[in-house]
């Protein structure tokens, strides 16, 4: 897979992760602020009981960094 295709795949997975978090927050009546989204994704990533693909884990890490926070 070339770099552009890999980057596109990673970007799509990042969008899927953020979209899922935002929709779940909306369902819970919470306002999806970037600090809260980053915290939710960080907490999800820390849960090692859930098996995720390497792409999803990488996407989650990039989401946290893109929102301006550290892992």
């Amino acid at each position: 897979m070339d770099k552009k295709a890999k980057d596109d795949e990673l970007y799509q997975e990042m969008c899927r992760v953020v979209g899922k978090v935002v929709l779940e927050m909306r369902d819970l009546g919470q306002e999806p602020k970037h600090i809260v989204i980053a915290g939710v994704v960080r907490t999800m990533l820390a849960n090692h009981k859930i098996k995720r693909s390497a792409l999803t884990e990488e996407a989650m890490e990039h989401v946290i960094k893109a929102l301006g926070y550290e892992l």
Side-chain angles (χ1 to χ4, degrees):
M1 180 182 304
D2 69 348
K3 178 154 174 45
K4 180 165 175 20
K6 184 176 181 335
D7 288 348
D8 287 344
E9 185 179 29
L10 177 61
Y11 178 78
Q12 291 300 318
E13 186 65 8
M14 289 171 66
C15 291
R16 189 194 67 76
V17 167
V18 171
K20 182 177 180 180
V21 170
V22 169
L23 292 175
E24 288 181 15
M25 290 175 68
R26 183 207 58 199
D27 290 347
L28 295 171
Q30 297 179 353
E31 186 176 343
K33 297 180 180 178
H34 70 283
I35 190 169
V36 179
I37 295 169
V40 169
V41 176
R42 198 175 340 173
T43 300
M44 290 168 49
L45 190 58
N47 183 353
H48 298 292
K49 293 179 182 178
I50 298 174
K51 301 294 183 207
R52 296 181 183 88
S53 70
L55 176 64
T56 299
E57 288 193 5
E58 183 180 3
M60 292 169 81
E61 291 170 2
H62 281 277
V63 165
I64 294 166
K65 290 176 185 174
L67 291 172
Y69 297 93
E70 295 295 321
L71 296 174

